[in-house]
C-alpha cells in the first residue's frame, strides 16, 4: 500500500469518527428539531425586526420582519433568475429561533398561500425546506419537525 493510500484511509477514518461523534451529540441536543444541520442557538435579541437580504448570481430574497413577542409579520420577496418573482406578506410565530408562517403572495397574477419556515442562526437567517402537500388551497409542510435548513442562501441582517 502506498503512502498516499494510508493518508487517504486515515482521512476517511477521521471523517467517520467525527461524523459519529457529531451525530451522537446532535441526538442529545435539546434544541434539535428534525434534521437540522445547524443546532446553534442565538440570543433572542438577534431575532429582531428589520430587513434580511440574500443576493447572489442574479438571485435575491428579501425578508422584512416585524417581531413582537412571539408573533411575526412582514414582507417576503423572491426574485430568482429564470423564475417569476413572488411578492407577498408573511404572518406567523417564532419559537426556538424558528419562524413558521403563512406566505400570501402574488405570482403571474394569481394569489397563493404556502407555509414558510426560517431559522435564525449565528450566520444569518436560513429557509427551511421539506415535503409539502396541498390542503384547503394552501401548500403546507407535511411535517415541520423534518425540515432541512441549509446555508446555501443565507439572508443577512441589513442596517
Amino acid at each position: 500500500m502506498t503512502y498516499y493510500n494510508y493518508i487517504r484511509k486515515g482521512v476517511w477514518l477521521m471523517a467517520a469518527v467525527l461524523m459519529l461523534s457529531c451525530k451522537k451529540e446532535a441526538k442529545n441536543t435539546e434544541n434539535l428539531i428534525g434534521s437540522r444541520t445547524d443546532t446553534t442557538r442565538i440570543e433572542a435579541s438577534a431575532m429582531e425586526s428589520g430587513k434580511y437580504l440574500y443576493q447572489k448570481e442574479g438571485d435575491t430574497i428579501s425578508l422584512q420582519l416585524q417581531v413582537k413577542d412571539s408573533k411575526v409579520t412582514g414582507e417576503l420577496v423572491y426574485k430568482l433568475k429564470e423564475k417569476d418573482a413572488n411578492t407577498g406578506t408573511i404572518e406567523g410565530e417564532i419559537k426556538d429561533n424558528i419562524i413558521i408562517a403563512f406566505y400570501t403572495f402574488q405570482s403571474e397574477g394569481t394569489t397563493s398561500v404556502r407555509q414558510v419556515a426560517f431559522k435564525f442562526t449565528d450566520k444569518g437567517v436560513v429557509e427551511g425546506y421539506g415535503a409539502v402537500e396541498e390542503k384547503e388551497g394552501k401548500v403546507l409542510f407535511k411535517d415541520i419537525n423534518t425540515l432541512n435548513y441549509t446555508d446555501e442562501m443565507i439572508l443577512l441582517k441589513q442596517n
Side-chain angles (χ1 to χ4, degrees):
M1 188 176 279
T2 68
Y3 178 74
Y4 172 75
N5 286 337
Y6 281 115
I7 296 294
R8 193 173 73 181
K9 283 187 178 190
V11 169
W12 281 110
L13 181 61
M14 292 266 298
V17 169
L18 285 172
M19 285 183 2
L20 287 174
S21 66
C22 289
K23 194 172 194 178
K24 184 176 180 181
E25 183 179 324
K27 285 182 180 179
N28 295 331
T29 303
E30 193 173 312
N31 300 327
L32 185 64
I33 301 174
S35 58
R36 306 251 175 10
T37 57
D38 177 16
T39 58
T40 305
R41 287 190 53 90
I42 58 171
E43 296 298 319
S45 62
M47 296 178 283
E48 61 187 21
S49 298
K51 184 175 182 175
Y52 297 83
L53 184 68
Y54 168 82
Q55 285 185 310
K56 187 174 181 182
E57 299 175 5
D59 292 334
T60 300
I61 302 172
S62 174
L63 178 61
Q64 180 72 44
L65 292 178
Q66 291 81 44
V67 179
K68 184 171 183 181
D69 300 321
S70 64
K71 302 293 182 194
V72 178
T73 59
E75 295 178 17
L76 178 58
V77 177
Y78 292 94
K79 291 183 182 176
L80 306 176
K81 64 183 173 189
E82 300 180 20
K83 304 239 184 211
D84 293 321
N86 295 335
T87 302
T89 59
I90 66 165
E91 186 173 336
E93 294 185 349
I94 189 165
K95 182 179 178 185
D96 295 329
N97 302 332
I98 298 173
I99 295 171
I100 303 294
F102 285 104
Y103 175 44
T104 304
F105 63 98
Q106 291 282 322
S107 180
E108 296 184 1
T110 302
T111 300
S112 302
V113 178
R114 74 175 174 94
Q115 203 169 33
V116 294
F118 291 94
K119 181 178 181 179
F120 288 85
T121 71
D122 58 344
K123 297 177 183 177
V125 177
V126 293
E127 188 167 4
Y129 297 95
V132 295
E133 61 188 348
E134 187 172 339
K135 284 187 179 176
E136 300 176 13
K138 298 177 182 177
V139 176
L140 306 173
F141 293 116
K142 284 186 178 180
D143 185 353
I144 290 174
N145 295 319
T146 61
L147 297 180
N148 292 310
Y149 295 86
T150 64
D151 57 4
E152 292 176 19
M153 292 190 221
I154 300 170
L155 285 73
L156 301 175
K157 178 86 164 81
Q158 304 298 294
N159 294 327

